[in-house]
Amino acid sequence: MSRSERKWDHIRFALKNQEKTSSVFDEIKFIHQSLPNIGMSDVRLDHTVGELYLSSPIFINAMTGGGGEKTYRINKELAQTAKQTGVAMAVGSQMAAIKDKSQRFTFEVVRKENPSGIIVANLGSEATPDQAKEAVEMIEANALQIHLNVIQELTMPEGDRDFTGALQRIEAIVRSVKVPVIIKEVGFGMSRETVKLLSNIGAFAVDVGGFGGTNFAQIENERRKRALNFFTDWGIPTPVSIIEAASLMDHQLAIIGSGGFRSAIDIVKGMALGAEAVGLAGYFLQTLVRKGIDSLIEEIQTLLQEMTIIMTALGASCIADLKRIPLIISGETYHWLNERGIDTKLYSQRSLL
Ligand SMILES: Cc1cc2nc3c(=O)[nH]c(=O)nc-3n(C[C@H](O)[C@H](O)[C@H](O)COP(=O)(O)O)c2cc1C
């Protein structure tokens, strides 16, 4: 199967994979504040992450391009949505267009549609520094994502089997490109140990890409004759992964949350746990493909409005304030953090006052 056919397979199976009734954030509850002492007009959602100014902390995470006309159309509409709503957008892996120049148009359209937006390039950790520079130039990107997807590759029938030297390759990319580099997972989460290694090589940010949303083990298992079922519930849930990353007090990395976000309350919880920005992929794709671009634009505007309402209730006038809002962590999430030696009282006993 060609790389571009596989891209379309992923979209088809990801759409099937979105039906979820519970959320990995259900075990996080904010402590109600009866005297928030702010109004909705006091809440600001714009936020600066390192050198990137974001007019809103949510963004469209990496999905597509490289699969011909169909992926061109999706990227075009995602870019139009990003422009209209002011959110940043990452493209899917550009390796397809680096290997086959005839696929470049499927990515270039994103910059064409949104000349002054924040756009993020994307490649896997197998990339060379020259390929990374090419990906950034292709869409005049403001930042570059390098994705880590070991479990997806191992489950993919035609996937990679050797992951030696990835950290060194990423370090070479970080040193050679001129834009900030974000290292991201694709739905299996990042541990504190992984984040520590990435902070040592000078990455700008980690996108923890946790378990709880799009499940690439499940998607790839649908494409296999004999499923590797042991990978279907493999991974670090998104809230746990954000907290693991945040628990490393000595690093300079920005933390980005993604994996399973579908509602304003979960986005606000993710940022209260430590994320500076939150990426949504599968949910936005589903909304676009099933309901159309106008519905996706409306959905993003509604999410931003609801985030403002929630922050008003909490008395948080900016994203930084959310890091001091008290919350309770229970159930399996609590158990996990406890076993990892992370003190949940840092969250339950903090205060904005
Ligand atoms: C159809 C589809 C294709 C994806 N392709 C890429 C990709 O090329 N590069 C990448 O880094 N992540 C890719 N992802 C992963 C997402 O960026 C994100 O990390 C993951 O889906 C978890 O977020 P979600 O639960 O909001 O979907 C893809 C996701 C989907 C749904």
Side-chain angles (χ1 to χ4, degrees), residues 47 270-276 318-325 350:
H47 193 45
M271 293 191 296
L273 295 178
E276 301 297 332
C318 60
I319 307 303
D321 279 358
L322 284 173
K323 313 294 189 254
R324 293 190 287 144
I325 297 291
R350 65 190 188 179

Side-chain angles (χ1 to χ4, degrees), residues 7 10-11 14 61-63 92-93 122 147 184-186 213-214 216 259-260 280-282 285:
K7 266 285 153 197
H10 284 162
I11 290 173
N61 217 345
M63 279 183 282
S93 175
N122 184 290
H147 65 256
K184 81 182 278 279
E185 251 292 350
V186 299
T214 302
F216 270 100
L280 294 88
L285 182 70

Side-chain angles (χ1 to χ4, degrees), residues 57-96:
I58 61 174
F59 67 97
I60 302 170
N61 217 345
M63 279 183 282
T64 200
E69 196 62 35
K70 286 178 185 162
T71 58
Y72 163 83
R73 251 180 285 135
I74 291 176
N75 264 350
K76 183 174 178 179
E77 295 197 333
L78 289 175
Q80 289 169 341
T81 302
K83 184 176 180 196
Q84 185 104 358
T85 55
V87 303
M89 170 182 170
V91 298
S93 175
Q94 291 163 266
M95 195 52 95

Side-chain angles (χ1 to χ4, degrees), residues 83 110-117 119 140 142:
K83 184 176 180 196
V110 171
R111 179 52 82 195
K112 231 180 251 166
E113 290 294 331
N114 192 7
S116 52
I119 295 174
E140 297 161 60
N142 306 87

